[in-house]
Amino acid sequence: MLPHRVKRWFYLLTGPLMAINGRLYRSFRAPRSGFLKVHLGPGQKKYLDGWLNLDANMFTAKCDVWVDLRNALPFHEATVDVMYSHHVIEHLPDLSLHFSEVRRCLKPGGIYRVGGPNGDSAIHKFMDHDLAWFSDYPDNRKSIGGRFENFIFCRKEHLTCLTFSYLHELMTNAGFVNIKLCLPVKETHYPNLIEKTVLEKEWESDFDWPHTLIVEAVKPSN
Ligand SMILES: C[S@@+](CC[C@H](N)C(=O)[O-])C[C@H]1O[C@@H](n2cnc3c(N)ncnc32)[C@H](O)[C@@H]1O
């Protein structure tokens, strides 16, 4: 994992370029019609064929559009059918802005499937003193508190502890409806929009207390 300060420098230096790239993409290339599926933050291994993949990492990630997701999304209003992010939003500083941007870009009836480190499971496993549930990534920690901190904040990479009630509140405030937890994880309420190949790429080893909190929500039709 890159040291936090290297990433800070990366965003400092490339942030203005990504902002320009996002604006240019939105002005000249963003689709205005047709069926559009957008994947935010594929990283190194999760590029999805058939989706438009957006990421800031131009070195090791594979993406179609190079943008900083802290900015406005590079799409016109009501042009995206489904949006998907997995272990990305915990890196963003302003989740209210993020959810309102996703809502703006989705078509009425459009879906957002969003996942990240599961704060609810982590709190439960912390109370249970279940050391084995937590890995010792990114730092080698022996204590339950150390492992909990590792999981939630990941050496300062993560900015928010994601729990279902908090995501529900943020998404409700942004104007989403039908905000539902996906349990079991790796399942979807919208199999016609989220293909099996997407779900298969979602890593999980504990299906009772999943490491990833997955939520799906809908932009209302009117
Ligand atoms: C932990 S990785 C997750 C990758 C993949 N989605 C997965 O589930 O394995 C987070 C990804 O989000 C991207 N990301 C984080 N903050 C970002 C930002 N502000 N703008 C664009 N991409 C960002 C990173 O570059 C990285 O590819």
Side-chain angles (χ1 to χ4, degrees), residues 113-131:
R113 178 179 175 89
V114 53
N118 194 325
D120 292 314
S121 292
I123 291 163
H124 177 87
K125 291 296 179 178
F126 172 81
M127 298 302 287
D128 256 12
H129 212 277
D130 186 349
L131 279 166

Side-chain angles (χ1 to χ4, degrees), residues 11 41-43 46 55-57 67-70 86-88 91-92:
Y11 279 100
K46 303 278 178 74
D55 208 297
N57 179 352
V67 283
D68 184 348
L69 298 173
R70 296 174 304 178
H86 188 255
H87 287 272
V88 174
H91 297 268
L92 304 179

Side-chain angles (χ1 to χ4, degrees), residues 10-221:
F10 171 80
Y11 279 100
L12 215 61
L13 295 173
T14 62
L17 296 175
M18 285 194 277
I20 293 170
N21 195 46
R23 271 187 227 124
L24 289 175
Y25 180 85
R26 182 173 168 177
S27 302
F28 299 111
R29 295 185 55 205
R32 288 182 184 272
S33 60
F35 192 74
L36 181 58
K37 304 207 279 189
V38 171
H39 180 201
L40 308 173
Q44 300 178 23
K45 296 185 185 143
K46 303 278 178 74
Y47 183 92
L48 294 176
D49 291 319
W51 292 64
L52 195 69
N53 298 267
L54 275 55
D55 208 297
N57 179 352
M58 85 252 255
F59 297 112
T60 54
K62 183 178 172 196
C63 64
D64 306 303
V65 189
W66 181 55
V67 283
D68 184 348
L69 298 173
R70 296 174 304 178
N71 299 329
L73 293 173
F75 301 104
H76 303 291
E77 259 180 73
T79 52
V80 179
D81 291 273
V82 52
M83 221 170 291
Y84 170 58
S85 73
H86 188 255
H87 287 272
V88 174
I89 65 164
E90 66 275 13
H91 297 268
L92 304 179
D94 188 343
L95 290 186
S96 299
L97 172 72
H98 173 71
F99 286 122
S100 68
E101 269 301 291
V102 173
R103 186 189 184 281
R104 177 185 68 75
C105 299
L106 284 173
K107 294 176 185 172
I111 305 299
Y112 188 27
R113 178 179 175 89
V114 53
N118 194 325
D120 292 314
S121 292
I123 291 163
H124 177 87
K125 291 296 179 178
F126 172 81
M127 298 302 287
D128 256 12
H129 212 277
D130 186 349
L131 279 166
W133 186 87
F134 298 92
S135 78
D136 58 1
Y137 179 84
D139 292 312
N140 190 353
R141 302 257 175 79
K142 300 278 178 272
S143 67
I144 190 72
R147 287 189 163 209
F148 177 79
E149 201 272 347
N150 243 357
F151 181 84
I152 297 293
F153 294 112
C154 195
R155 213 186 275 161
K156 298 192 174 68
E157 286 299 316
H158 299 172
L159 304 175
T160 307
C161 175
L162 303 177
T163 55
F164 177 64
S165 63
Y166 186 39
L167 286 192
H168 194 286
E169 177 181 351
L170 290 170
M171 293 178 102
T172 301
N173 291 345
F176 284 91
V177 294
N178 287 349
I179 304 164
K180 290 184 193 155
L181 192 60
C182 288
L183 252 187
V185 286
K186 292 170 84 78
E187 287 199 5
T188 176
H189 301 99
Y190 307 97
N192 53 330
L193 291 172
I194 313 277
E195 316 91 290
K196 255 192 164 166
T197 46
V198 174
L199 305 176
E200 281 163 7
K201 287 195 176 194
E202 290 180 350
W203 175 86
E204 187 52 70
S205 65
D206 184 334
F207 291 86
D208 293 326
W209 292 97
H211 296 85
T212 303
L213 177 74
I214 307 261
V215 175
E216 290 177 338
V218 181
K219 173 172 174 172
S221 294

Side-chain angles (χ1 to χ4, degrees), residues 1-13:
M1 196 165 85
L2 275 179
H4 189 60
R5 65 172 189 290
V6 175
K7 282 198 181 161
R8 217 176 39 231
W9 272 104
F10 171 80
Y11 279 100
L12 215 61
L13 295 173

